[in-house]
């Protein structure tokens, strides 16, 4: 057993002993059952960590605790310790943990039909697709282009199992669209001349600095981070990376050979940075000029996280995308992803062009319907906006004395927020965890704040207070050093 596991084991046993003292007032039989249950959980924790080290491919750095269950905005480890969760499973559990309606839907559907493959129809995949399309267009009635165009019946949905898979599908669709447009002569003279009439030359893909689109080879090729890319080169050809929010160089990177451009309206992994309106408008126009598809990766910033159903609903209608990818919160932790495509994309995707074994299964799609119905209400989105304002206001007062020192700035919208530090945030994350708050980092020394979207204002204030206390201690430690 490793020294890390042994140390953790000692802490667990100490915690179990202390908990027994706190059980006064409970009858002896109940007290005995509760203690033994706690002790058994404590015994299981070091074993779980040891088996992780021994049997699992270790690609993550995890603290020495084992989570056992959650309720609302809180999770609990196997010793019974409580943590306020400002990670939400990396912006996944939008409705919090153990949501009663989600749990009831999972339990009921599990007794009916979990999986049947896409060889057959099921009732929940088309139901969720219809709700996604309707909710999107109803929330943004001024849109007339891209996914909001009314040609051929409107937008359509393809279901996958994750955000990475959704982005992979979007890239495939862009490649096919480029080839089809050249082969059918639908592009202008300048584009046709640039590719010499060869459909294979209309295959370039563009992403942006700070973007994160996934870890599989196609998505990884558009995730411009050497830490992620370098061990796995060579990546797929035909990919270039432009500067996020930079208009002057756009025409250099997005040219006549480009078939698709992928961008996050608000970058999550990249450090909580929002795209400028002028940048997104120029990007839409440039894509139209060269016949490229504009893909919005809303896997983290979409589905209510920004305080709007989609982050791009904060942009003018002339910035509308051709494709939107989604995943994280759609089924509150049940794996699912989806690609929402415009009519001009759907008309060129045919039987056999793409596929998935698990995507669109009735369990995930039924849960997705439940989650979307909760998120897509004015009351719910108003709560997200107000909770975000509460978090910003609380942090502003607490962090003000440390701006220019430990803290660089805070930024974000809704409940997608970040606090950028002047140094590695790992120490602050550790301090917060010790105080019962779970945080996750992002690029540029940023603490990412992505609690469940239905977190109470009281818990938002509690989390902010803990962050403020941790920043104060961090500043004290740096001064002492």
């Amino acid at each position: 057993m490793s020294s890390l596991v042994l140390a953790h084991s000692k802490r667990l046993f100490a915690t179990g002993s202390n908990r027994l003292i706190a059980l006064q007032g409970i009858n002896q039989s109940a007290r005995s059952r509760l203690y033994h249950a706690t002790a058994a959980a404590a015994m299981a924790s070091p074993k779980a960590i040891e088996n992780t080290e021994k049997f699992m491919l270790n690609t993550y750095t995890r603290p020495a605790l084992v989570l056992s269950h959650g309720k609302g905005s809180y999770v609990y480890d196997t010793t019974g310790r409580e943590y306020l969760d400002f990670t939400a499973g990396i912006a996944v559990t939008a409705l919090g943990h153990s949501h009663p309606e989600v749990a009831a839907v999972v339990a009921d559907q599990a007794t009916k039909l979990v999986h049947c493959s896409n060889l057959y129809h099921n009732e929940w995949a088309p139901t969720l697709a219809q709700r996604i399309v309707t909710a999107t267009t109803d929330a943004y009635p001024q849109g007339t282009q891209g996914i909001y165009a009314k040609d051929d019946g409107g937008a359509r949905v393809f279901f996958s199992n994750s955000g990475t898979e959704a982005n992979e599908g979007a890239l495939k669709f862009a490649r096919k669209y480029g080839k089809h447009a050249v082969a059918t002569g639908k592009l202008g003279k300048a584009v046709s001349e640039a590719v010499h009439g060869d459909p294979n030359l209309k295959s370039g893909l563009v992403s942006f600095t700070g973007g994160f689109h996934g870890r599989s080879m196609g998505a990884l090729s558009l995730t411009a981070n050497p830490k992620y890319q370098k061990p796995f080169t060579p990546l797929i050809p035909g990919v270039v990376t432009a500067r996020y929010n930079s208009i002057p160089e756009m025409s250099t990177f997005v040219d006549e050979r480009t078939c698709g451009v992928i961008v996050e309206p608000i970058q999550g992994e990249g450090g909580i940075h929002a795209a400028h309106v002028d940048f997104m408008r120029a990007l839409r126009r440039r894509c139209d000029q060269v016949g490229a598809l504009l893909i919005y990766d809303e896997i983290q910033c979409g589905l209510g996280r920004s305080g709007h159903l989609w982050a791009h609903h904060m942009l003018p209608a002339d910035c509308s995308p051709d494709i939107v990818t989604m995943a994280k919160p759609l089924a509150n932790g049940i794996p699912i992803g989806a690609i929402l495509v415009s009519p001009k994309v759907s008309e060129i995707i045919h039987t056999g062009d793409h596929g998935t074994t698990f995507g669109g299964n009735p369990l995930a799609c039924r849960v997705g319907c439940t989650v979307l119905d909760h998120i897509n209400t004015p009351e719910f989105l108003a709560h997200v906006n107000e909770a975000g304002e509460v978090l910003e206001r609380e942090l502003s007062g607490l962090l003000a004395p440390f701006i220019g020192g430990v803290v660089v700035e805070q930024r974000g919208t809704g409940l997608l927020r970040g606090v950028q530090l002047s140094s590695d945030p790992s120490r602050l994350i550790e301090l917060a965890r010790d105080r019962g708050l779970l945080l996750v980092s992002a690029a540029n020394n940023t603490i990412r704040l992505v609690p469940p979207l239905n977190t109470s204002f009281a818990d938002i204030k509690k989390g902010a207070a803990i962050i403020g206390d941790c920043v104060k201690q961090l500043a004290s430690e740096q001064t002492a050093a």
Side-chain angles (χ1 to χ4, degrees), residues 252-323:
T252 301
F253 288 89
V254 182
D255 62 21
E256 286 75 14
R257 296 193 176 198
T258 303
C259 68
V261 177
I262 188 167
V263 62
E264 294 167 273
I266 305 174
Q267 293 183 340
E269 180 78 18
I272 319 300
H273 295 283
H276 300 159
V277 172
D278 289 347
F279 171 74
M280 296 299 260
R281 178 177 283 122
L283 191 55
R284 173 72 270 177
R285 289 175 179 171
R286 183 59 179 165
C287 285
D288 289 340
Q289 289 172 359
V290 302
L293 296 182
L294 179 57
I295 304 164
Y296 283 176
D297 178 341
E298 293 229 24
I299 290 162
Q300 185 161 168
C301 64
L303 290 166
R305 179 64 53 186
S306 68
H308 297 74
L309 181 62
W310 299 110
H312 77 264
H313 284 171
M314 302 168 67
L315 299 170
D318 60 354
C319 299
S320 298
D322 299 302
I323 296 177

Side-chain angles (χ1 to χ4, degrees), residues 395 398-399 402 462-474:
L395 286 175
L398 292 165
L399 302 181
F402 306 100
K462 177 181 176 181
I466 293 174
I467 293 170
D469 188 42
C470 293
V471 168
K472 183 177 180 180
Q473 181 174 336
L474 187 60

Side-chain angles (χ1 to χ4, degrees), residues 44-309:
S45 296
K47 187 65 174 178
I49 296 171
E50 182 182 14
N51 283 344
T52 297
E53 295 176 350
K54 187 176 181 180
F55 296 111
M56 291 180 64
L57 190 60
N58 188 13
T59 62
Y60 297 95
T61 300
R62 300 182 177 96
L65 60 89
V66 178
L67 298 181
S68 62
H69 63 287
K71 186 66 176 175
S73 297
Y74 289 85
V75 291
Y76 302 83
D77 68 19
T78 48
T79 73
R81 188 177 181 199
E82 180 181 83
Y83 302 86
L84 177 56
D85 185 7
F86 266 35
T87 75
I90 316 182
V92 168
T93 53
L95 304 184
H97 302 279
S98 303
H99 189 278
E101 191 172 342
V102 170
V105 167
V106 171
D108 184 64
Q109 190 63 35
T111 67
K112 295 178 177 177
L113 189 65
V114 172
H115 174 77
C116 63
S117 85
N118 286 294
L119 297 175
Y120 310 98
H121 293 287
N122 75 72
E123 61 182 309
W124 290 107
T127 301
L128 179 56
Q130 184 271 331
R131 292 187 188 182
I132 289 171
V133 171
T134 301
T136 300
T137 53
D138 284 355
Y140 205 61
Q142 65 267 42
T144 59
Q145 65 183 107
I147 60 172
Y148 301 96
K150 303 302 186 290
D151 312 347
D152 194 27
R156 286 174 170 76
V157 175
F158 179 93
F159 289 112
S160 62
N161 306 288
S162 68
T164 294
E165 287 186 28
N167 283 339
E168 288 285 351
L171 300 180
K172 283 182 65 177
F173 296 167
R175 282 266 170 98
K176 184 173 185 189
Y177 176 82
K179 294 176 184 293
H180 174 82
V182 172
T184 57
K186 288 188 174 183
L187 300 178
K189 181 180 178 182
V191 176
S192 298
E193 290 178 351
V195 299
H196 309 295
D198 183 353
N200 289 320
L201 295 181
K202 184 66 173 173
S203 59
L205 296 165
V206 178
S207 62
F208 296 92
T209 54
F212 181 88
H213 305 291
R215 305 286 193 112
S216 57
M217 290 307 291
L220 179 64
S221 298
L222 285 106
T223 298
N225 188 324
K227 177 178 70 173
Y228 299 138
Q229 290 185 336
K230 189 174 180 180
F232 306 104
T233 54
L235 303 173
I236 68 169
V239 175
V240 295
T241 302
R243 281 190 299 168
Y244 192 61
N245 277 329
S246 175
I247 296 175
E249 63 183 49
M250 188 179 293
S251 60
T252 301
F253 288 89
V254 182
D255 62 21
E256 286 75 14
R257 296 193 176 198
T258 303
C259 68
V261 177
I262 188 167
V263 62
E264 294 167 273
I266 305 174
Q267 293 183 340
E269 180 78 18
I272 319 300
H273 295 283
H276 300 159
V277 172
D278 289 347
F279 171 74
M280 296 299 260
R281 178 177 283 122
L283 191 55
R284 173 72 270 177
R285 289 175 179 171
R286 183 59 179 165
C287 285
D288 289 340
Q289 289 172 359
V290 302
L293 296 182
L294 179 57
I295 304 164
Y296 283 176
D297 178 341
E298 293 229 24
I299 290 162
Q300 185 161 168
C301 64
L303 290 166
R305 179 64 53 186
S306 68
H308 297 74
L309 181 62

